[in-house]
Every structure is written in structure tokens, then in C-alpha cells.
Amino acid sequence: MMRFPENFIFGGATAAYQAEGSTNVDGRGPCYWDEYLNREESRFNGDTASDFYNKYPKDLELAQKYGVNGIRISIAWSRVIPDGSGEVNPKGIEFYNNLIDECLKRGIELYVTLHHFDTPLSLFKNGDWLDRDNIDHFLNFAKVCFENFGDRVKKWVSINEPWSVVAGQYIIGHFPPNIHYDITKAVQAMHNMMVAHSKVVELYKSMNLDGEVGIIHILESKYPISDKKEDEKAAYLEDTIANRFMLDACLGGGYEEETLETIKGILSKNDGKLVIEDGDMEVIKSAAIKNDFLGINYYASHFLKGYEGESNIYHNGTGEKGTSIFALKGIGERVDNPDVPTTDWDWPIYPKGLYDMLIRIKEDYPNYNKIYVTENGMGYKDDFEDGRVEDDPRIDYIKQHFQAILEAIEDGVDIRGYFLWSLMDVLSWTNGYNKRYGLFYVDFDSQERYVKKSAHWFKKVSEEKRIVEIDEIDY
Ligand code: BGP
């Protein structure tokens, strides 16, 4: 039987805006979600979220009790520097000091992200990652965090999922500023984020803080739905823009010529071009060899078909199965694979896509150092009855992905940990509160926590360092 390595991290992931709530207290400034989700027509907002701001001692107590020995948190930029670029807020520093100390007290290792989708509102209004000044403001924020928390936090992540940020902001349009189908802006913002990431790596290394720094990408495999040439091309194109472009930058030390040519081809079909400023490629190249780890967030893979039409997307934000549309001009169209099950939000459940991605990184980017699977999990409308949640489909989902990870480890990929998205139920950016992922059920009215069946299962996996069958646990 395959077993997880001795020091493997069995973690739980959170992000500031999705978990903390308390958006108006102790001097926190707004991020762009505050404004957007407080519109009248919005179905939900993040004002209270999971109340992690107050409830974190309880969440960490539960984490420790249920075998969670690592946690991903993110630091809300606008809690620490309320307007993004000016004064530091001592109350923000105090909150994260307390949170960090509580994690360490419980023996839970911290993996801290600096940017998890939540640019401060004023910087967002200046253009967010499309504004090159954002890079300097971000570096300043990173420095404040390294100085204040770097003595205790030893694992740092610069940015969470550049592709998801720009796809949400400029292509799908379900993240502010809600622009649709602007592939050029998306590519430009991704490039700028990679420059920012690289400068953060350089900064961290210059501070001799005795820890590690890396980046997290969403990396979903893209497969042609048939062996037709146009379907193969569609898969290749979507893979290039969503995966290869980012991997080339953070691990390869620059965009391969073929990658750049392909990106330029996509942009020319969309009447755009990428601006790379002097010095960008030098810093990207220099940081790539200093990157200590790569975080992979993996939920699904996609099956592609050739597509010649205009871009057309429908985002399923309610869990009404079968409603998604995703077709991009100059790239391709995502289609159903009848052999692959999907979640209610139409995300294909395909653990082989994770295995394939892990092997590909080992083969194509041999200097990757080490990998953490920094997010994986199943969004599900949990049935809550008498304080209990029997979430067998979630357990089955995690089990299949654990299996893929163990196989990749056996085949030589250096994987050091797994973080379940999410530790407890949190806000889902574009879906609200009915798409739950946690080990611990949150009653969002009372903010009470309840232990799901998956938490019992996770505990046993973490303790025994092997994949446990569902019927091995009592619940
Ligand atoms: C990732 C994000 C997380 C989380 C997760 C689930 O892309 O890093 O913040 O939200 O996806 O996504 P969703 O909430 O849309 O189901």
C-alpha cells in the first residue's frame, strides 16, 4: 500500500476575504470585493463571511483536533495598509500577529499568501495589475509583512492564481471590473503579476529570513475531446494561455519562444499585443532559480473542441448543473466529456488531470524544487441535519485526488503537502455561501461550527498517512 511521506503536510486552506469578515473594523480599508458585493443587486457579501476574525481560535482548535497540521491563510493587504500604499495599520499587524501565534501554539505550520484576489480598492481603481505602479505598492506591502511576520512565518506565497484573477476580471467578467472577453488585458495583467512575483522573490531572498517563498498557480490539464486536429489545437491553445505561460515564467525563467509565439497568435486574433518592459525578463529569469516551491491548485480539468466563433461564456454561479458555457475566440470551447462526472457547478472531476500535471512539471520544468498541492476540494451543497453532515461525495473526491498524488510521488514527483480547500466553509467569490468546501460546517447565521464526516476521515488519513476507506470511520 502506498503511504504519504513522514513529514507530509495535511493542510487546510483559507483566504482573508473569504473567511475573516469584520471588513469595517480596526482600521481595515476596503478591497475591491467590498464595494462590488455591497451593491444592491448582489446576492451576498463578505461582511461577516466565516467570522474568522473572531473565531480563529475555535477553527484552529478544530484543525488541530482533526489532524490538520498546516494552514494556508492570506494577509489582507487593506487590513495592513488600508489604502494599499500609505500608512501601516497597527491593528492589522496586531491581528495577524495573534493569528500567527495561535497557529504556532497549536503546532500548525503556516503558509501565508500575500495576494489572494483582494487588491485594495484605491489601487484597484488605478488599474490593479494593469497599472505598473501596483508592482511597487505590492513590494512595499510584502516588505511590511516580511518585516513583521517573517520571524515566525517560514513559507510565503506571493500571489494566488494569476490566471484565475485575470480570467475573472477580464474574460469571464465575474470579478470586478467585470470586463468580458478582453484577452489582451488578461495576458498583460498576468505578465505584470509575474514581474511582481519575481520581485517579491528577490526581495525575500535579500532579507535573509531563513524561510521559503513561492507562487501558487491554478493548473488544470487541457485535453482535446477527440483526435481531430482542431480539437488538439484548442487544447494546446488553452493550455498555453492558462498554464504554460505562467509555468514558463516562474519555473522556466522566461517564456519559451513557442509559448510567446502562441500567445501573440491568440492576441492577434483578439486585436491586441503584450507589452514587456525593459528589465522584465531579467528579473523573471533571475527569480525563477530562487523560487523555493510551486503551489498547485487543482479542482478540475477541461476537454476542448475547436471553435471559430466569438467569445461566449456563461458562468454557473448557483450550482444549476449543466448551464456552463465557455468558448473563447482564437482559443477553443470547453465541452462535456460524457465519461467524466461533474460537480453541480459543472467542474469535471478528473484526478488523472492532476497526476498528468504533476508529471509534466517534473518533466518539463525539472528545477521546480518541490510542490505543494495548495488547493483541492469539492464544492457541494451539504445536507445539514441535526448538527451532522454526511459528505461522502466530498470524501470520495478527496480520496481520488490523494490517490493521484501518491501515484505521482511514487513516480518521482517531490510533493510535500496537500491543503484541502477549505478548512471550514467560507465565502465562494462568485457563488456565495451555498457552495461549501470545508471540513467544518459553518452555520453562517450563528457562526457555529459543526464537524463533517469528512473531518473524521481526514483525521484518520493524516494520522495513518494512508488513504482510508469511508467505511473505516465511525460517524
Ligand atoms: C480557487 C481560489 C479559492 C477558492 C476556490 C474555489 O480558485 O483560490 O479562493 O474560492 O478556487 O472556488 P469557488 O469558490 O469559485 O468554487
Side-chain angles (χ1 to χ4, degrees), residues 14-15 18 72 116-117 160-161 164-165 174-175 216 218 220 297 299 315 345 347 375 377-379 421-422 426-432 435 437:
T14 67
Q18 293 173 278
R72 276 190 66 206
H116 196 125
F117 297 2
N160 180 70
E161 295 187 359
S164 301
V165 172
H174 60 351
F175 286 18
I216 292 178
I218 177 109
E220 304 170 314
N297 289 357
Y299 292 87
H315 169 65
W345 282 264
W347 293 15
E375 278 181 37
M378 187 186 186
W421 184 267
S422 45
V426 297
L427 166 75
S428 169
W429 306 98
T430 62
N431 307 277
K435 192 180 189 188
Y437 283 91

Coordinates of all heavy atoms in Angstrom, one line a residue, residues 14-15 18 72 116-117 160-161 164-165 174-175 216 218 220 297 299 315 345 347 375 377-379 421-422 426-432 435 437, ligand 1:
T14 N -7.5 28.6 3.6 CA -8.4 29.7 3.7 C -7.9 30.9 3.0 O -6.7 30.9 2.5 CB -8.6 30.2 5.2 OG1 -7.4 30.8 5.7 CG2 -9.0 29.0 6.1
A15 N -8.7 32.0 2.8 CA -8.2 33.2 2.3 C -8.9 34.4 3.0 O -10.0 34.2 3.4 CB -8.5 33.3 0.8
Q18 N -12.5 35.7 2.1 CA -13.5 34.6 2.1 C -13.8 34.1 3.6 O -14.8 33.5 3.8 CB -13.0 33.4 1.3 CG -13.0 33.8 -0.2 CD -12.3 32.7 -1.0 OE1 -11.1 32.5 -1.1 NE2 -13.2 31.8 -1.6
R72 N -3.2 27.3 5.2 CA -3.0 28.5 4.3 C -3.9 29.6 4.8 O -5.1 29.4 4.9 CB -3.4 28.1 2.9 CG -2.3 27.4 2.1 CD -2.7 27.4 0.6 NE -2.7 28.7 0.1 CZ -3.5 29.1 -1.0 NH1 -4.2 28.2 -1.6 NH2 -3.4 30.3 -1.4
H116 N -4.4 37.3 -2.3 CA -5.3 36.3 -2.7 C -6.6 37.0 -3.2 O -7.6 37.2 -2.4 CB -5.7 35.3 -1.5 CG -6.4 34.1 -1.9 ND1 -5.9 32.8 -1.5 CD2 -7.5 33.9 -2.6 CE1 -6.7 31.9 -2.0 NE2 -7.7 32.5 -2.7
F117 N -6.5 37.5 -4.4 CA -7.6 38.1 -5.1 C -8.1 39.5 -4.5 O -9.1 40.0 -4.9 CB -8.9 37.2 -5.1 CG -8.7 35.9 -5.8 CD1 -7.6 35.4 -6.4 CD2 -9.9 35.0 -5.9 CE1 -7.5 34.2 -7.0 CE2 -9.8 33.8 -6.6 CZ -8.6 33.4 -7.1
N160 N -1.7 34.3 -5.4 CA -2.6 33.1 -5.6 C -3.2 33.2 -7.0 O -4.0 34.1 -7.2 CB -3.7 33.0 -4.5 CG -4.6 31.8 -4.7 OD1 -4.2 30.7 -4.5 ND2 -5.8 32.1 -5.1
E161 N -2.9 32.2 -7.8 CA -3.7 32.0 -9.1 C -3.8 33.2 -10.0 O -4.9 33.7 -10.3 CB -5.1 31.5 -8.8 CG -5.1 30.2 -8.1 CD -6.6 29.6 -8.0 OE1 -7.5 30.3 -8.5 OE2 -6.8 28.5 -7.5
S164 N -6.6 32.8 -12.6 CA -8.0 32.9 -12.2 C -8.3 34.4 -12.0 O -9.5 34.8 -12.2 CB -8.2 32.2 -10.8 OG -8.0 30.9 -11.0
V165 N -7.4 35.2 -11.5 CA -7.6 36.6 -11.3 C -8.0 37.3 -12.6 O -9.0 37.9 -12.7 CB -6.4 37.3 -10.7 CG1 -6.6 38.8 -10.6 CG2 -6.1 36.8 -9.3
H174 N -16.7 37.9 -14.0 CA -17.5 37.8 -12.8 C -16.7 38.3 -11.6 O -17.1 38.2 -10.4 CB -18.0 36.3 -12.6 CG -16.9 35.3 -12.5 ND1 -15.6 35.5 -12.8 CD2 -17.0 34.0 -12.2 CE1 -14.9 34.4 -12.7 NE2 -15.7 33.4 -12.3
F175 N -15.5 38.8 -11.8 CA -14.7 39.6 -10.8 C -14.7 41.0 -11.3 O -14.5 41.3 -12.5 CB -13.3 39.1 -10.7 CG -13.0 37.8 -10.1 CD1 -13.9 36.8 -9.9 CD2 -11.7 37.5 -9.7 CE1 -13.6 35.6 -9.4 CE2 -11.3 36.3 -9.1 CZ -12.3 35.3 -9.0
I216 N 1.6 30.4 -6.3 CA 0.6 29.3 -6.5 C -0.1 29.6 -7.8 O -0.6 30.7 -8.1 CB -0.5 29.4 -5.4 CG1 0.1 28.9 -4.0 CG2 -1.7 28.5 -5.7 CD1 -0.8 28.9 -2.8
I218 N -3.2 28.1 -10.5 CA -4.2 27.1 -10.8 C -3.7 26.4 -12.0 O -3.4 27.0 -13.0 CB -5.6 27.7 -11.0 CG1 -6.7 26.7 -11.4 CG2 -5.6 28.8 -12.1 CD1 -7.7 26.5 -10.3
E220 N -4.8 23.4 -14.4 CA -5.8 22.4 -14.8 C -5.4 21.8 -16.2 O -5.0 22.6 -17.1 CB -7.2 23.0 -15.0 CG -7.6 23.7 -13.7 CD -8.9 24.6 -13.8 OE1 -9.0 25.4 -14.8 OE2 -9.8 24.5 -13.0
N297 N -2.9 24.6 -7.4 CA -4.4 24.5 -7.0 C -5.0 23.7 -8.2 O -4.9 24.1 -9.3 CB -5.0 25.9 -6.9 CG -4.5 26.6 -5.7 OD1 -3.8 26.1 -4.9 ND2 -5.0 27.9 -5.5
Y299 N -8.6 21.6 -9.2 CA -10.0 21.2 -9.0 C -10.6 20.3 -10.1 O -11.4 19.5 -9.9 CB -11.0 22.4 -8.8 CG -10.7 23.2 -7.5 CD1 -9.7 24.2 -7.5 CD2 -11.4 22.9 -6.4 CE1 -9.5 24.9 -6.4 CE2 -11.1 23.7 -5.2 CZ -10.2 24.7 -5.2 OH -9.9 25.4 -4.1
H315 N -21.3 31.8 -16.8 CA -20.8 31.3 -15.6 C -21.9 30.7 -14.7 O -22.8 31.4 -14.3 CB -20.1 32.4 -14.8 CG -19.7 32.1 -13.4 ND1 -18.8 31.1 -13.1 CD2 -20.1 32.5 -12.2 CE1 -18.6 31.0 -11.8 NE2 -19.4 31.8 -11.2
W345 N -21.6 22.5 -10.2 CA -21.1 23.7 -10.8 C -20.4 23.4 -12.1 O -19.6 24.3 -12.6 CB -20.2 24.5 -9.8 CG -21.0 25.2 -8.8 CD1 -21.4 26.5 -8.8 CD2 -21.5 24.7 -7.5 NE1 -22.1 26.8 -7.7 CE2 -22.2 25.7 -6.9 CE3 -21.5 23.4 -6.9 CZ2 -22.9 25.5 -5.7 CZ3 -22.1 23.3 -5.7 CH2 -22.8 24.3 -5.1
W347 N -17.9 21.4 -12.8 CA -16.5 21.3 -12.8 C -16.2 19.8 -13.0 O -16.6 19.0 -12.1 CB -15.8 21.8 -11.5 CG -15.9 23.2 -11.3 CD1 -16.8 24.1 -11.9 CD2 -15.2 24.0 -10.3 NE1 -16.6 25.4 -11.5 CE2 -15.6 25.4 -10.5 CE3 -14.2 23.7 -9.4 CZ2 -15.1 26.4 -9.7 CZ3 -13.7 24.8 -8.6 CH2 -14.1 26.1 -8.8
E375 N -4.4 23.8 -3.1 CA -5.9 23.7 -3.0 C -6.4 22.6 -3.8 O -5.9 22.3 -4.9 CB -6.5 25.0 -3.6 CG -6.6 26.2 -2.7 CD -7.2 27.4 -3.3 OE1 -8.2 27.2 -4.1 OE2 -6.8 28.5 -3.1
G377 N -10.5 20.3 -3.6 CA -11.6 20.1 -2.8 C -12.9 20.1 -3.6 O -12.8 20.4 -4.8
M378 N -14.0 19.8 -3.0 CA -15.2 19.7 -3.8 C -16.3 20.6 -3.2 O -16.8 20.5 -2.1 CB -15.8 18.3 -3.7 CG -16.9 18.1 -4.6 SD -17.6 16.4 -4.3 CE -18.8 16.4 -5.6
G379 N -16.7 21.6 -4.1 CA -17.9 22.4 -3.8 C -19.1 21.6 -3.8 O -19.4 21.0 -4.8
W421 N -9.1 22.7 0.2 CA -9.9 23.9 0.2 C -11.3 23.4 0.6 O -11.9 22.6 -0.1 CB -10.0 24.5 -1.2 CG -10.8 25.8 -1.1 CD1 -12.1 25.9 -1.4 CD2 -10.3 27.1 -0.7 NE1 -12.5 27.2 -1.1 CE2 -11.5 27.9 -0.7 CE3 -9.1 27.6 -0.3 CZ2 -11.4 29.3 -0.4 CZ3 -9.0 28.9 0.0 CH2 -10.1 29.7 0.0
S422 N -11.8 23.8 1.7 CA -11.3 24.8 2.6 C -11.3 24.2 4.0 O -11.9 23.2 4.2 CB -12.1 26.1 2.5 OG -13.5 25.7 2.6
V426 N -16.4 28.6 3.7 CA -16.1 30.0 3.6 C -16.9 30.6 2.4 O -17.7 29.8 1.8 CB -14.6 30.3 3.3 CG1 -13.7 29.8 4.4 CG2 -14.2 29.6 2.0
L427 N -16.8 31.9 2.2 CA -17.5 32.5 1.1 C -16.9 32.0 -0.2 O -15.7 31.9 -0.4 CB -17.3 34.0 1.2 CG -17.6 34.8 0.0 CD1 -19.2 34.9 -0.2 CD2 -17.0 36.2 0.0
S428 N -17.7 31.7 -1.2 CA -17.2 31.4 -2.5 C -17.4 32.7 -3.4 O -18.6 33.2 -3.5 CB -18.0 30.2 -3.1 OG -17.7 30.1 -4.5
W429 N -16.3 33.2 -3.9 CA -16.3 34.6 -4.6 C -17.6 34.9 -5.4 O -18.1 36.0 -5.3 CB -15.1 34.7 -5.5 CG -13.8 34.5 -4.8 CD1 -13.1 33.3 -4.8 CD2 -13.1 35.4 -3.9 NE1 -11.9 33.4 -4.1 CE2 -11.9 34.7 -3.5 CE3 -13.3 36.7 -3.5 CZ2 -11.0 35.3 -2.7 CZ3 -12.3 37.3 -2.7 CH2 -11.2 36.6 -2.3
T430 N -17.9 33.9 -6.3 CA -18.9 34.2 -7.3 C -20.2 33.4 -7.1 O -21.1 33.4 -7.9 CB -18.4 34.1 -8.7 OG1 -18.0 32.7 -8.9 CG2 -17.2 35.0 -9.0
N431 N -20.2 32.6 -6.0 CA -21.3 31.7 -5.8 C -22.0 32.0 -4.5 O -23.2 31.6 -4.3 CB -20.8 30.2 -5.8 CG -20.0 29.9 -7.0 OD1 -20.6 29.6 -8.1 ND2 -18.7 30.0 -6.9
G432 N -21.3 32.6 -3.5 CA -21.9 32.9 -2.2 C -21.7 31.8 -1.2 O -20.6 31.2 -1.2
K435 N -22.1 27.1 -1.8 CA -21.1 26.2 -2.3 C -20.1 26.0 -1.2 O -19.2 26.8 -1.0 CB -20.4 26.8 -3.6 CG -19.6 25.9 -4.4 CD -19.0 26.6 -5.6 CE -18.3 25.5 -6.5 NZ -17.5 26.2 -7.6
Y437 N -17.1 23.9 1.0 CA -16.0 23.0 0.8 C -15.4 22.5 2.0 O -14.5 21.7 2.0 CB -14.9 23.9 0.1 CG -15.0 24.2 -1.4 CD1 -15.7 25.3 -1.8 CD2 -14.4 23.3 -2.3 CE1 -15.7 25.6 -3.2 CE2 -14.5 23.6 -3.7 CZ -15.2 24.7 -4.1 OH -15.3 25.0 -5.5
Ligands
BGP1 C1 -9.7 29.0 -6.1 C2 -9.5 30.1 -5.2 C3 -10.1 30.0 -3.8 C4 -11.5 29.3 -3.9 C5 -11.6 28.1 -4.8 C6 -12.9 27.6 -5.0 O1 -9.6 29.4 -7.4 O2 -8.1 30.3 -4.9 O3 -10.1 31.3 -3.2 O4 -12.5 30.2 -4.0 O5 -11.0 28.4 -6.0 O6 -13.6 28.3 -6.0 P1 -15.1 28.7 -5.9 O7 -15.3 29.4 -4.6 O8 -15.4 29.5 -7.1 O9 -15.8 27.4 -6.0

